[in-house]
Amino acid sequence: MKSSWSSLPSAWQEAFGLAVDSYLRRDAAPIGAVVTDGAGAIVSRGGNAISSHRLAHAEMEAFAGVPATLDRRAARLFVTVEPCPMCAGALRMMQLGNVHFAARDPAAGATRLLQDDGFMREIPCAVHAPRIPALEQVVVALVTEHRMRTGHTRWQPTWEAYQPAAFAVGRRLAAEGAHARWRRASIGPAALYESVVSFCVRT
């Protein structure tokens, strides 16, 4: 696996940065989301804030800031982890034309619901599966680290089956106290990304 921070599209850099902010500042699962307009400019942002409200998922935070004038059919949602059922439903109600996610959520991911019935299909939303292997593995490793460290292991076998190598990295990061080390160093998203990519290459 080889990928540098500088090679990531700007929307992914911003979404990952929001995920890192949630992960390090709020100690929440590392999920960030941005909405772009048809020209690719970021018009709204959101980070996982469920420590303050159970419905404050990154996507919901980003949706709240979408301008009323946005051409929604040309808009795109970029989110680090596949939307859950609540966020998939909100995506349909927002009527955005595209959703991209960096990593699947093999337990709660629900983009399939966008094709579930006539109402959901009435306003098409193109689903773009993960396309950057390094980003996908970094996201899985960080989600795994967070869940291992905080005791949320219910879906451990599902995530391990999805990305066994990245899962192993996340487990090792948790065991080695990486989160506390990164917080003490006030590490930024670019450095954290490169650090986990390097960790994945060594493992």
Side-chain angles (χ1 to χ4, degrees):
M1 180 187 70
K2 183 175 177 59
S3 175
S4 68
W5 174 259
S6 61
S7 71
L8 291 178
S10 59
W12 280 127
Q13 289 185 351
E14 185 71 15
F16 185 79
L18 291 160
V20 169
D21 183 68
S22 292
Y23 174 63
L24 294 181
R25 187 166 62 86
R26 301 189 182 109
D27 198 11
I31 305 174
V34 299
V35 175
T36 66
D37 64 16
I42 296 172
V43 298
S44 187
R45 300 162 171 81
N48 181 8
I50 64 169
S51 58
S52 60
H53 192 288
R54 290 297 302 170
L55 302 184
H57 289 200
E59 299 95 316
M60 303 295 279
E61 297 290 287
F63 292 157
V66 168
T69 56
L70 180 68
D71 177 358
R72 299 185 183 212
R73 301 305 305 132
R76 295 176 179 269
L77 169 70
F78 292 82
V79 59
T80 54
V81 177
E82 181 182 5
C84 71
M86 176 182 71
C87 294
L91 178 60
R92 163 60 180 85
M93 300 308 292
M94 288 296 295
Q95 302 181 359
L96 302 188
N98 294 268
V99 55
H100 302 253
F101 46 92
R104 294 187 181 280
D105 184 336
T111 53
R112 68 187 183 282
L113 296 179
L114 295 169
Q115 295 295 321
D116 192 52
D117 58 28
F119 175 79
M120 297 295 282
R121 293 191 299 270
E122 182 181 17
I123 300 176
C125 179
V127 176
H128 303 270
R131 295 181 177 178
I132 306 175
L135 177 60
E136 181 179 14
Q137 292 187 37
V138 168
V139 169
V140 171
L142 292 179
V143 169
T144 300
E145 188 285 330
H146 178 265
R147 289 181 172 171
M148 288 286 185
R149 180 169 44 80
T150 57
H152 294 92
T153 57
R154 179 181 177 188
W155 300 108
Q156 176 176 322
T158 310
W159 279 78
E160 186 171 17
Y162 163 49
Q163 280 279 351
F167 183 88
V169 168
R171 182 165 50 197
R172 186 171 167 186
L173 289 171
E176 295 183 0
H179 182 267
R181 183 171 69 250
W182 289 329
R183 288 191 69 173
R184 287 195 302 270
S186 298
I187 193 170
L192 193 151
Y193 180 84
E194 297 285 6
S195 176
V196 179
V197 166
S198 176
F199 204 104
C200 288
V201 169
R202 296 196 310 269
T203 300

